[in-house]
Amino acid sequence: QVQLVESGGGLVQAGGSLRLSCAASGRTFRPTAMAWFRQAPGKEREFVAGIVWSGSSTYYSDSVKGRFTISRDNAKNTVYLQMNSLKLEDTAVYYCAAALASGLVAGPGGYNYWGQGTQVTVSS
């Protein structure tokens, strides 16, 4: 069984930065890709950024491109999301997800494991 645990969320002013971490545990953790999604109240869960586990390919939603950076540390089974120039509309619960077979996709259905989520609140 794989567990994903997010950390790093919190309250930040608009224009500020936060760094989220997602640590994976469980035997034989070999995802094809990992991603960050977010869900704001009353809205559907949306893809934010993703990264392949082997190689350098990354993918970002248009709403965060140029502001957010996803990275990983394979040795630590950890993926990070550096969020800069945060906006009010970035307020949401952020979820980490791991795909075992589908590769880097934007649809949540392609991911097999999910973390519990971490709240990010951007204030004016």
Side-chain angles (χ1 to χ4, degrees):
Q1 186 69 10
V2 172
Q3 286 189 321
L4 304 178
V5 179
E6 302 101 334
S7 61
L11 175 65
V12 63
Q13 285 191 325
S17 299
L18 281 176
R19 188 194 195 205
L20 305 183
S21 298
C22 172
S25 62
R27 60 187 183 97
T28 321
F29 179 67
R30 294 195 184 98
T32 54
M34 293 190 71
W36 289 93
F37 287 76
R38 67 187 181 187
Q39 188 165 19
K43 295 188 176 181
E44 293 186 352
R45 191 168 297 190
E46 64 171 350
F47 176 87
V48 175
I51 187 167
V52 297
W53 201 244
S54 299
S56 58
S57 295
T58 57
Y59 183 70
Y60 298 90
S61 68
D62 289 342
S63 60
V64 307
K65 199 174 297 182
R67 300 188 297 122
F68 290 10
T69 302
I70 189 170
S71 61
R72 67 173 197 272
D73 185 332
N74 290 35
K76 295 182 179 179
N77 282 347
T78 299
V79 65
Y80 305 96
L81 185 68
Q82 178 66 43
M83 304 186 295
N84 299 329
S85 302
L86 283 160
K87 303 176 180 180
L88 297 178
E89 53 264 40
D90 293 320
T91 295
V93 176
Y94 283 71
Y95 297 91
C96 172
L100 300 184
S102 66
L104 182 51
V105 297
Y111 294 84
N112 304 90
Y113 294 102
W114 292 83
Q116 81 288 350
T118 185
Q119 176 71 47
V120 171
T121 303
V122 183
S123 64
S124 58

